[in-house]
Each structure stands twice: as C-alpha cells, then as structure tokens.
Amino acid sequence: METRTDVIETRTVVAEFVGTLLLVFFAVGSAVLGARYIGTTGIALAFGFTLVALTYALGRVSGSHLNPAITLGVLLARRIELRAAIEYWLAQLLGAIAGAALLLLLAKQVPDLEISGSFGSNGYGDRSAVGMEAGGAFLAEVMLTLLLVYVYLSVTRTVSVGGLEPLPIGLTLAVVTLVGVPLTGASVNPARSLGPGMFAGGDAMEQYWLFLIAPLVGGALAAVVHRFTHADLGAEGIGLGPAGPKTAAGLETAESPNKAPGQDEGAD
C-alpha cells in the first residue's frame, strides 16, 4: 500500500520534472523556433509567461522551483531539507534534458532550421551576441540569478506558492531574460542550460561550467541578502516554526497546522 510519504514525495519530484520539461520545451522553444519572428522581447515574455503558468499549476505541489538555483536559495533559507533539495535537483536536470530532447525532435520537423551550435544554449565569447567574455558573463549570470531568487524568496514565505505570488516571479524571469539574452543567452538556471547545451554541439558544453556555477552563486547570495532584509518576518517553511511530523522528504503531514504542498484537503 502506498503511504502518504510516498504520495507527497512522488508528487513533488514529478512536478519538478514535468515543470522543468515544459519550461525548456516552450520557453527555450520560443528562441529555437520563433526568434526571427518574436525577437528578444518575445522570447523574454515567453519565459516569463510560461513560468507564471507553471507556477500557478505546480506551485502548491512543489513550489514550482524548476531551477536548481532557486532550490539552493530555498534550501539555504531553511524552507526545505537537504534530501528534498537533492531530489528536486535531479528531477530538474532530468526534466530539462527530456524537454530539450522533445524540442530537438520538433525542431527537426522544420525545414531549413539551423540548430547546430546554438539550439537555445547559453555562451560567452564568440557565443555571446555582444561578445562578452567569461568574466563579464559570470558577473552577469550571478546578478541576474540573484534578482530572480531574491524575488522568489521575498514574495513567498512557505514551500507552497499561490495567490498572486507567481506574477512577480514570472515577471522577474521576463526582465532578467530581456537583459540577459544579448549577454549570455540568459541562463539563470543550470538545468535550463544543461538540456539545450547537450544537443547544441559546438562549445556549448565546454562553456557549461559557467552556467552551472554562476547561477548557484547568485542563488546563494540571494539567500544571504534575503536573510538580512527579511529576518524579522520569520518563515513558515519546512523545519521552521510550529510543525507537525515530517515525511522523509521534509514535507509536513496532515497533522501539521501548516499543510504541505500536494496535500489534499480532508485527506486521511
């Protein structure tokens, strides 16, 4: 018989996998399939609107991180436990790879579409639209990710995300994408960079180290800044405040006064 722990763990992991898959397929897909028609502004809006929609759909299940940098920020803010964070990271990376594979399958159906060496991947040097070198690209990715994760932590107080909270999160992703596309292609998400990078060819994976490390640094710095600016507000996340028994993933069970993401009303 499936236990409630199993149900909650499965829901959160599947939500992060599916959400990251869809984010890569649709948002990166806007750059791969429609850049010549919608331009940088359209790509930025595609990223932002996709994240808003997915956060409304999945925010109450997993928090809709869909980004290892956000998960790191949430972990450092002590809203989830390490085991849950590791599960999120694995689901996000695998989801991004699956989303990129599906996008590649679709892109191959478009006649004369050139995807080799690009495919919505991120880069610096000759792979940057403005020729930004590694140092500048690293700083840009740190600062762009810092803003995204800082806003996420500031507008949410629990693991669950709902109400109007998805709007500023999605709008922030649109802004950082609009700024970041000419610089690095706007990663701010190691999973988003990994999936397309694996299928892009060329130097995409050789440069991936920057788009793995810089966003994580930005996410960690965001958690530190948030702790100073919002310290007096407290938190109602996993492992903090009044809490009932925890599942193995760190999510609260039905006996807790704070319900966990993915938990149904009136569940036994």
Side-chain angles (χ1 to χ4, degrees), residues 46-127:
F47 271 87
F49 289 161
T50 301
L51 185 60
V52 168
L54 290 172
T55 304
Y56 271 118
L58 302 172
R60 296 192 185 279
V61 180
S62 68
S64 192
H65 299 180
L66 317 184
N67 182 339
I70 289 180
T71 299
L72 178 60
V74 172
L75 173 66
L76 295 178
R78 297 179 56 240
R79 297 183 188 177
I80 61 174
E81 295 178 354
L82 179 59
R83 173 178 172 178
I86 293 172
E87 292 173 349
Y88 274 41
W89 287 327
L90 290 174
Q92 292 157 0
L93 294 173
L94 292 174
I97 294 170
L102 289 173
L103 178 59
L104 179 64
L105 182 63
L106 178 62
K108 286 184 176 295
Q109 310 310 309
V110 180
D112 302 322
L113 180 64
E114 179 60 42
I115 59 176
S116 177
S118 177
F119 192 57
S121 59
N122 305 109
Y124 55 85
D126 60 2
R127 303 188 72 252

Side-chain angles (χ1 to χ4, degrees), residues 168-256:
I169 297 170
L171 288 174
T172 303
L173 180 60
V175 169
V176 301
T177 302
L178 187 63
V179 173
V181 163
L183 306 179
T184 62
S187 170
V188 303
N189 183 339
R192 168 261 182 274
S193 294
L194 177 63
M198 289 182 63
F199 299 101
D203 297 331
M205 289 307 296
E206 291 181 11
Q207 297 185 353
Y208 175 68
W209 66 270
L210 188 147
F211 303 103
L212 170 64
I213 298 173
L216 293 178
V217 171
L221 289 175
V224 173
V225 174
H226 178 266
R227 183 171 300 177
F228 282 100
T229 59
H230 293 70
D232 59 329
L233 298 181
E236 299 173 6
I238 294 168
L240 299 178
K246 304 292 192 298
T247 70
L251 299 176
E252 295 170 358
T253 60
E255 290 77 18
S256 169

Side-chain angles (χ1 to χ4, degrees), residues 11-39:
R11 286 180 179 177
T12 56
V13 172
V14 170
E16 288 296 305
F17 174 86
V18 172
T20 311
L21 183 157
L22 294 174
L23 180 66
V24 169
F25 183 84
F26 285 99
V28 178
S30 71
V32 173
L33 303 173
R36 71 177 70 176
Y37 306 107
I38 63 177

Side-chain angles (χ1 to χ4, degrees), residues 122-145:
N122 305 109
Y124 55 85
D126 60 2
R127 303 188 72 252
S128 163
V130 298
M132 180 167 282
E133 294 300 328
F138 193 95
L139 177 60
E141 286 292 328
V142 167
M143 296 305 297
L144 293 173
T145 310

